[in-house]
Amino acid sequence: MITVENATKTFWTDSGQVVAIDDVSIDLAPGAITSIVGPSGSGKSTLARLVSLQERPDSGVVRVEGYNTASLDQRRLRAARRRIGVVGHEELLPQRTAAGNIAMPLEQAGIDGPQRRERVGKLLDLIGLTARGNALPADLTAGQRARVQIARALVGDPGLLLADDPTHGLDGDGAAGVLAVLDRARGELGSTVLVTTSDSTVARRIADDVALLVDGRVADSGSVLSLIQDPTSLVADALLPAIDTPDSLRARHDRIAEVVLIGFSAVGALLPEASGRFGTDVSVIGGGLTRVGETPVARFLLGVSGPQAESTLSWIRERGGVVKRPVRGPEGIAA
């Protein structure tokens, strides 16, 4: 539905010109959740404004349903903007209930009462707040208010839902509730969702596709599960559990390797089977378990000891494990 092609956006500050977005291209797959991750100042919010058609790039193209938005007149540009629901940081109106805040765009569009109530009721159910529809924002938690903001952005049935840093400032429960709603919007409404965030947990939990933005450029991109199987992926390093193991532990084994295992069978059974098959001692000396969506993923630093240590690692690789940087134990010589 929306593609960004070779977009560049610059700003002038007191210290000179700043290139916020530099030759960025992304393609948002219909019905998928795409996450743009990157540190503060990497250009995520600028890219969000370009995608939501609030700003135009200095060069490059933003296309909506194949149309170059730079060629649209103001009437058609406004119509294109209405196809994009934006979850930003606009506060809810304090004097209106949760249901009233969600209904506001429909009222402005002249939608009649019965239609408004039906649409608002469905969205209150989607965000899990049917029983709190008559509550004022002051009586809701921060996470609940964020879910109401998402419902308000969805009320016009947009083709794209754009959420700019939607979990910022929320506690764990609040963030989990927001991510669950974004996932339900994709699953139950068929929404295409774009999420920008500095928190890699967001991409790991709900994203189908991810792009890593660094200094205004796309440093790595692709489907999440394919990237975590790529030994060279920068995204994988950000999404998977960190490995921090003292050298004293590394030195006790004949081979050391970083291994990524994906799926229930691989995580649960592959290492014990490898150890039994080759008569080696396979020890987890670092890393941990996580989930990418509903798929369990392990990133372990393994210590393997025994005459068949190298064969053990080769067998794990043949069975779909991603084996990276295998080295000899005490010597530190590449195997």
Side-chain angles (χ1 to χ4, degrees):
M1 176 192 171
I2 291 185
T3 59
V4 179
E5 302 170 4
N6 307 110
T8 296
K9 184 69 176 179
T10 60
F11 298 100
W12 286 94
T13 68
D14 293 340
S15 57
Q17 188 180 44
V18 174
V19 181
I21 292 294
D22 187 5
D23 195 30
V24 166
S25 296
I26 60 170
D27 189 357
L28 304 181
I33 297 179
T34 300
S35 180
I36 307 295
V37 299
S40 177
S42 60
K44 301 185 302 298
S45 291
T46 299
L47 181 58
R49 289 194 295 273
L50 296 182
V51 170
S52 62
L53 308 181
Q54 300 306 306
E55 295 186 17
R56 293 186 174 182
D58 299 329
S59 62
V61 177
V62 178
R63 297 186 186 276
V64 176
E65 297 177 349
Y67 292 98
N68 181 352
T69 56
S71 65
L72 299 180
D73 58 30
Q74 286 301 311
R75 181 183 63 81
R76 294 166 67 196
L77 183 60
R78 286 193 297 271
R81 285 174 179 160
R82 286 194 293 270
R83 296 289 298 139
I84 302 170
V86 179
V87 185
H89 303 289
E90 295 182 5
E91 294 296 328
L92 301 175
L93 293 180
Q95 72 276 17
R96 296 186 66 126
T97 64
N101 271 280
I102 296 169
M104 187 170 60
L106 298 179
E107 294 174 9
Q108 294 169 342
I111 305 300
D112 65 34
Q115 285 183 286
R116 289 202 310 269
R117 287 190 289 274
E118 180 182 7
R119 181 65 177 164
V120 170
K122 289 180 179 178
L123 287 171
L124 283 169
D125 179 64
L126 181 85
I127 65 175
L129 291 177
T130 298
R132 303 288 285 157
N134 291 325
L136 294 173
D139 298 322
L140 301 174
T141 67
Q144 290 170 337
R145 290 194 293 272
R147 283 186 268 161
V148 173
Q149 289 177 321
I150 295 172
R152 184 171 61 184
L154 286 168
V155 76
D157 195 22
L160 171 69
L161 177 66
L162 191 158
D164 186 17
D165 207 6
T167 60
H168 178 73
L170 299 181
D171 60 20
D173 289 342
V178 165
L179 296 184
V181 168
L182 294 175
D183 195 35
R184 291 187 71 184
R186 181 265 307 271
E188 298 182 21
L189 302 180
S191 301
T192 300
V193 181
L194 176 63
V195 181
T196 68
T197 180
S198 57
D199 183 359
S200 61
T201 302
V202 173
R204 187 168 64 242
R205 293 179 66 173
I206 65 169
D208 302 296
D209 302 311
V210 62
L212 174 64
L213 207 61
V214 178
D215 295 330
R217 298 183 67 90
V218 176
D220 200 4
S221 65
S223 75
V224 176
L225 285 175
S226 67
L227 288 173
I228 64 174
Q229 297 178 73
D230 180 356
T232 66
S233 171
L234 299 174
V235 168
D237 201 51
L239 296 186
L240 296 176
I243 292 177
D244 183 14
T245 306
D247 290 338
S248 60
L249 288 179
R250 297 170 181 255
R252 299 175 186 174
H253 305 276
D254 296 323
R255 292 289 188 276
I256 302 292
E258 182 182 322
V259 175
V260 176
L261 306 174
I262 301 170
F264 290 96
S265 58
V267 171
L270 200 59
L271 299 186
E273 186 176 350
S275 178
R277 179 178 291 266
F278 293 96
T280 50
D281 178 25
V282 179
S283 302
V284 175
I285 58 176
L289 291 166
T290 188
R291 282 182 178 267
V292 175
E294 295 301 316
T295 304
V297 177
R299 184 194 200 185
F300 293 142
L301 188 69
L302 297 183
V304 186
S305 297
Q308 299 269 5
E310 189 60 35
S311 296
T312 301
L313 292 174
S314 296
W315 186 84
I316 292 171
R317 184 185 292 112
E318 291 168 1
R319 296 304 184 278
V322 181
V323 180
K324 300 191 289 183
R325 298 197 297 268
V327 298
R328 296 187 190 278
E331 298 89 349
I333 302 172

